Amino acid sequence: MEDPWKREFEFAVEVARKAGAEIRKAGESEIRVMTKSCTVDLVTKTDERVEKIIIGSLKEEFGEGTHCFIGEESVAKGEACVLTDKPTWIIDPVDGTTNFVHGFPFVAVSIGFAVNKELEFGVVYSCLEDKMYKAQKGKGAFCNDEPIQVSDVQDIKKSIIISEHGVDRSPEKVTKIFSTMQKILCIPVHGLRGSGTAATNMCLVACGAVEAFFEIGIHCWDIAAGAVIVKEAGGLLLDVNGGPFDLMSRRMVSANSDTIAQRIIKEIEIFPVVRDDALVQKK
Amino acid sequence: MADPWQECMDLCVEVTRRAGEMIREALQKDIDVMQKSSPVDLVTETDQKVEQLIISSIKEKYPTHSFIGEESVSAGAPSILTDSPTWIIDPIDGTTNFVHNFPFVSVSIGFTVKKEIQFGIVYSCIEDKMYTARKGKGAFCNGIPIKVSGQEDINQSLLLTEVGFKSDPEQFKIMLANIKTILTIPVHGIRSPGSAAINMCLVACGSADAYYHMGIHCWDMAGGAAVVTEAGGVIMDISGGPFDLMSRRLIVASSRAIAERLVKEIIEFDVGRDDADH
């Protein structure tokens, strides 16, 4: 059967591995921390360097002009963040920068690939654990080449749910986040966890370690790759209001089953976030 | 001068490694889950088998020693710390994680003599990380020395704590309020890995800057307490007073500054004591 994006997929795995090695090396020396939108939204030279390496390698291999790129650090510097029909690489060079700065064990390179606005494959390399998660549409999901699948837990009272506090500490948002946490804990669920990286959280759903992950405030580059991995592992994605998943909406529920997803959706207190593809005034 | 407890520690490492293997094997099969005090307080046969393995292996060599084990206490054994050489054991710290195959599951063993912790072992068995610490001799992970981050600025800190359903609505409210208060100091972030012993080791090796918890048990804390202290960290009671192994609460931190800031922010609630009369 024809696999039009096989070359891109294999190259993505190779590039993610190289990027992960860079991250590990950088973690051995002292890390200078800078901030972006607020004092807890961290970025380092490693984020920027790794993104240049990834995009540079991809442009060299596939030519500039035929493919498009949406990268977290490029967008931070003013590049457009719009998904078109063209083959598009959606990249988070270091997902879990806070973890990276502290040496907390979950740091991932996340590379998703979309054509005609549909996600074709995803690669998430959890580089401190040396776990390569990957999935191509229609071909299953894998961790270090072993097939993975979501858990079969259907009872919300036997589930572990993941969510994150995010970097926005404004009181209205924090109040809603905590209210949601409280409602979910009171179901009760087995536990609430958070690894600190959305891409890793989605892989934890995909390999069955947790039943669902939801968050409001993430970005397309955090979830593009994980979205394919979760789906190919037998899970599903929805918007936090129960509608269809929207990659640019900055919010998402990923779960092992519709039953669990719907039950979580009932409890989520939604707050507004600006879409990734909203037109923003350049500085 | 010969170390009177080195042999005990060597046996402890060996037994702990075997226990970790038993846990990894059990993860390959289906796990039957039972509940203890509530629907979120889980236990399995593996918890019980692992504790039996640990206690029987140690009793064979040290028949006069005392034991405080989580599952033995659950089954009615006393939980009183005496001057006797005492092994304080959590066979599976992170049973919920174990049931779900979430990566943080540990065996935790602390050894006390005259109520003072002499050594601690925490084996994070899915990660295959053996944390060890002998009083006065430093802390190690897989034989490599570890130390705390030394972070003193709360605004640059990454913290650990756990959230869980509490049947007491007032305590539940305070638990969440504490996390919200600390998050909005602001700190860099708060994570919940799901195993107290591993949380303590994450502080010990500098991956996190502090961990606080009200409601754990002596068997969750005894192993990690040695590891954090020997890694240069600080350990104290939630009130700022000295750490009390039977108090069911603690703060461990990379520095006194971070610990004292947390003491300021945390609202306490009563969690009872491990050595209280039932």
Side-chain angles (χ1 to χ4, degrees), chain A residues 34-43 166-170, chain B residues 186 188:
Chain A
M34 300 164 284
T35 59
K36 290 194 286 193
S37 64
C38 65
T39 60
V40 299
D41 184 9
L42 310 182
V43 67
V167 296
D168 192 333
R169 302 293 158 84
S170 54
Chain B
H188 273 177

Side-chain angles (χ1 to χ4, degrees), chain B residues 97 124 176:
Chain B
N97 285 355
S124 176
L176 287 176

Side-chain angles (χ1 to χ4, degrees), chain A residues 161-166 177 180-181 184 192-196 201 212-216, chain B residues 190:
Chain A
I161 306 298
I162 292 191
S163 192
E164 301 286 347
H165 307 119
I177 288 171
T180 301
M181 258 171 71
I184 290 175
L192 215 52
R193 304 275 182 272
S195 73
N201 288 339
F213 161 52
F214 72 93
E215 192 171 344
I216 301 175
Chain B
I190 299 179

Side-chain angles (χ1 to χ4, degrees), chain A:
Chain A
M1 198 177 99
E2 203 194 292
D3 186 353
W5 309 111
K6 182 171 150 124
R7 207 175 120 232
E8 282 77 359
F9 177 60
E10 286 170 357
F11 196 77
V13 173
E14 207 185 294
V15 158
R17 205 177 286 284
K18 281 206 195 113
E22 275 292 322
I23 292 169
R24 280 194 301 265
K25 209 167 92 197
E28 284 159 20
S29 342
E30 214 174 301
I31 301 168
R32 215 182 107 233
V33 186
M34 300 164 284
T35 59
K36 290 194 286 193
S37 64
C38 65
T39 60
V40 299
D41 184 9
L42 310 182
V43 67
T44 69
K45 287 259 176 259
T46 304
D47 296 65
E48 293 165 357
R49 193 174 70 248
V50 170
E51 185 162 311
K52 284 204 179 95
I53 290 174
I54 294 173
I55 294 182
S57 307
L58 294 172
K59 279 182 174 169
E60 198 184 318
E61 181 74 9
F62 301 104
E64 245 173 285
T66 43
H67 286 194
C68 295
F69 299 87
I70 296 175
E72 174 170 17
E73 305 317 328
S74 315
V75 169
K77 291 203 169 354
E79 298 256 349
C81 180
V82 185
L83 187 61
T84 65
D85 286 349
K86 282 174 103 168
T88 306
W89 298 84
I90 306 170
I91 298 158
D92 191 340
V94 181
D95 188 39
T97 297
T98 300
N99 287 356
F100 169 62
V101 162
H102 286 272
F104 192 78
F106 297 114
V107 179
V109 182
S110 176
I111 302 178
F113 183 75
V115 182
N116 297 326
K117 301 196 187 75
E118 277 214 33
L119 289 163
E120 288 293 330
F121 64 74
V123 174
V124 173
Y125 182 37
S126 176
C127 58
L128 301 182
E129 304 181 276
D130 193 21
K131 285 182 175 164
M132 181 68 75
Y133 295 91
K134 62 189 188 189
Q136 271 182 286
K137 196 164 101 185
K139 298 196 172 171
F142 301 83
C143 176
N144 290 350
D145 296 320
E146 296 287 331
I148 55 174
Q149 61 179 75
V150 293
S151 92
D152 56 13
V153 168
Q154 295 290 316
D155 181 356
I156 191 74
K157 294 186 182 178
K158 298 192 155 74
S159 69
I160 290 187
I161 306 298
I162 292 191
S163 192
E164 301 286 347
H165 307 119
V167 296
D168 192 333
R169 302 293 158 84
S170 54
E172 326 76 60
K173 293 193 174 153
V174 170
T175 300
K176 292 222 165 183
I177 288 171
F178 274 79
S179 180
T180 301
M181 258 171 71
Q182 181 170 330
K183 290 198 284 176
I184 290 175
L185 284 170
C186 285
I187 292 177
V189 295
H190 270 178
L192 215 52
R193 304 275 182 272
S195 73
T197 125
T200 303
N201 288 339
M202 293 177 92
C203 295
L204 287 166
V205 174
C207 71
V210 305
E211 279 62 46
F213 161 52
F214 72 93
E215 192 171 344
I216 301 175
I218 31 156
H219 291 277
C220 59
W221 46 77
D222 297 316
I223 54 177
V228 187
I229 296 169
V230 166
K231 285 230 286 269
E232 286 301 316
L236 76 158
L237 295 114
L238 291 172
D239 185 71
V240 293
N241 65 9
F245 168 61
D246 175 353
L247 181 59
M248 302 309 231
S249 67
R250 297 205 47 209
R251 55 194 220 182
M252 167 221 66
V253 176
S254 55
N256 68 331
S257 65
D258 193 60
T259 312
I260 296 275
Q262 296 299 343
R263 186 65 181 83
I264 295 295
I265 281 165
K266 256 175 87 174
E267 310 298 352
I268 296 175
E269 290 197 21
I270 301 176
F271 51 87
V273 280
V274 176
R275 292 177 61 86
D276 272 329
D277 53 7
L279 287 175
V280 179
Q281 291 278 325
K282 287 211 181 144
K283 284 192 204 150

